[in-house]
Amino acid sequence: MTFVVAEPCIRCKHTDCVDVCPVDCFYEGVNFLVIDPDECIRCGACVPECPVEAIYPDDELPDKWSEYLEINARLAPAWPVITVVQASLPDADEWAAVSPKGSQLDPAPAERR
Ligand code: SF4
Ligand code: F3S
């Protein structure tokens, strides 16, 4: 069991979620974050922090975003960990209103800070 970052995060990447995670299990891509399912302790602390409601427990993940369970598990080992809040992406407010936007997910890792 794990928590999962779903589509609303794409091109927003507010990063408020990383500040509260007790086990530092968020990993950063260019325009999206994922949670490592092997590290998440399912505390739920990150859920209310996300301004775009992108984070769900895996058993409450909306059907339209079911693929994000696999996406988080696959990308977490390939991306650098993120533990410090960063500025949201420049067009976050515009992209928050866009759905679907799964095609916008960039699989490249964020550059290490
Ligand atoms: Fe971290 Fe808890 Fe969120 Fe899992 S549920 S990603 S452990 S804050
Ligand atoms: Fe993404 Fe929400 Fe965290 S937009 S980076 S899941 S606060």
Side-chain angles (χ1 to χ4, degrees):
M1 301 290 273
T2 182
F3 278 62
V4 176
V5 183
E7 189 175 287
C9 178
I10 296 172
R11 297 197 74 157
C12 294
K13 207 169 82 168
H14 290 292
T15 77
D16 305 72
C17 52
V18 308
D19 203 32
V20 298
C21 181
V23 294
D24 294 342
C25 64
F26 281 93
Y27 292 82
E28 185 182 11
V30 171
N31 64 15
F32 187 57
L33 295 194
V34 293
I35 293 168
D36 186 325
D38 294 330
E39 296 177 346
C40 176
I41 60 170
R42 203 176 159 78
C43 69
C46 52
V47 172
E49 299 302 315
C50 179
V52 294
E53 299 183 13
I55 306 174
Y56 296 84
D58 55 5
D59 57 358
E60 294 177 26
L61 191 60
D63 286 346
K64 62 183 175 182
W65 296 326
S66 60
E67 67 186 311
Y68 285 85
L69 180 60
E70 181 274 330
I71 289 171
N72 279 240
R74 174 164 47 87
L75 294 176
W79 286 359
V81 70
I82 172 171
T83 59
V84 177
V85 174
Q86 310 288 334
S88 305
L89 292 179
D91 297 327
D93 288 346
E94 285 80 1
W95 281 101
V98 177
S99 180
K101 57 178 176 177
S103 62
Q104 297 290 320
L105 201 172
D106 188 335
E111 290 188 14
R112 290 198 178 271
R113 300 171 197 275

